[in-house]
């Protein structure tokens, strides 16, 4: 029996060595797979982080552009408001000129608008009644000195705050 026990012990020893070898190989394979998986996970993590950074940078640029556009829009609105206010004040000052200064100014503007002396001057109802005829007369004096035509005072009126409209056929100049 001693021989059989030795053979059985030898088989057990060989089996244990085979098991140990297989365990070693399995452990090495597991470690290699784990290392490979960790490397892949690390690469994927870096790629995801890089995409996230790029997306954040792009969003920041879009937000900056939108903020810049909004700032420009606000600045433009403020400029337009200031210009409108300035034009309104200028119009108020023009409308409050004494009649003789207003007549001179409007006659000068009529001469610039119609250097050949053609056309009709259209005023507001109040402007036509107060200074319309005087403006046309003064402009026509200057045109006569140049040997040019003569302007006419239009019968029609328009809702104007000040100034006049020069109508020459289908063309009107405000």
């Amino acid at each position: 029996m001693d021989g059989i026990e030795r053979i059985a012990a030898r088989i057990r020893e060989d089996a244990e060595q085979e098991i140990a070898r297989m365990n070693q190989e399995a452990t090495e394979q597991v470690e290699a797979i784990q290392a490979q998986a960790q490397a892949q996970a690390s690469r994927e993590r870096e790629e995801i982080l890089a995409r996230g950074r790029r997306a954040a940078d792009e969003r920041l640029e879009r937000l900056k552009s939108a903020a810049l556009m909004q700032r420009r829009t606000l600045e433009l609105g403020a400029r337009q408001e200031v210009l409108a206010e300035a034009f309104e004040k200028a119009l108020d000052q023009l409308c409050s000129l004494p009649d003789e200064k207003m007549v001179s100014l409007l006659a000068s503007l009529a001469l610039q608008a119609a250097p050949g002396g053609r056309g009709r001057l259209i005023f507001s109802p109040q402007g036509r009644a107060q200074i319309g005829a005087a403006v046309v007369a003064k402009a026509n004096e200057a045109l006569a000195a140049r040997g040019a035509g003569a302007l006419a005072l239009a019968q029609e009126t328009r809702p104007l705050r000040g100034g006049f409209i020069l109508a020459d056929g289908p063309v009107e100049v405000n």
Side-chain angles (χ1 to χ4, degrees), residues 19 42 66 95 106 120-121 158 161 163 165:
I19 289 172
S42 179
C95 290
L106 292 179
R120 300 170 298 131
L121 296 182
R158 301 266 179 92
R161 217 171 126 205
I165 294 174

Side-chain angles (χ1 to χ4, degrees), residues 42-120:
S42 179
R43 280 191 309 272
E44 288 177 7
R45 184 184 61 141
E46 289 302 318
E47 287 174 10
I48 290 170
L49 287 173
R51 280 195 308 262
R53 283 187 203 107
R54 282 192 304 272
D57 289 344
E58 289 171 3
R59 175 140 171 84
L60 179 63
E61 285 304 313
R62 283 193 305 272
L63 288 172
K64 282 181 182 179
S65 293
L68 182 61
M69 185 66 83
Q70 187 175 9
R71 186 185 100 207
R72 287 179 181 166
T73 301
L74 290 173
E75 286 175 355
L76 180 60
R79 284 183 188 153
Q80 288 174 336
E81 190 175 310
V82 168
L83 282 174
E85 208 173 291
F87 281 122
E88 189 64 30
K89 284 183 181 181
L91 184 58
D92 287 343
Q93 287 179 349
L94 282 173
C95 290
S96 66
L97 284 175
D99 284 350
E100 62 274 354
K101 286 188 178 183
M102 182 67 82
V103 167
S104 293
L105 174 65
L106 292 179
S108 171
L109 291 173
L111 291 171
Q112 289 176 15
R118 290 185 1 201
R120 300 170 298 131

Side-chain angles (χ1 to χ4, degrees), residues 106-150:
L106 292 179
S108 171
L109 291 173
L111 291 171
Q112 289 176 15
R118 290 185 1 201
R120 300 170 298 131
L121 296 182
I122 304 170
F123 289 90
S124 68
Q126 181 184 3
R128 186 177 190 290
Q130 281 182 328
I131 59 171
V135 170
V136 170
K138 186 161 181 124
N140 283 336
E141 283 177 26
L143 287 170
R146 293 184 195 169

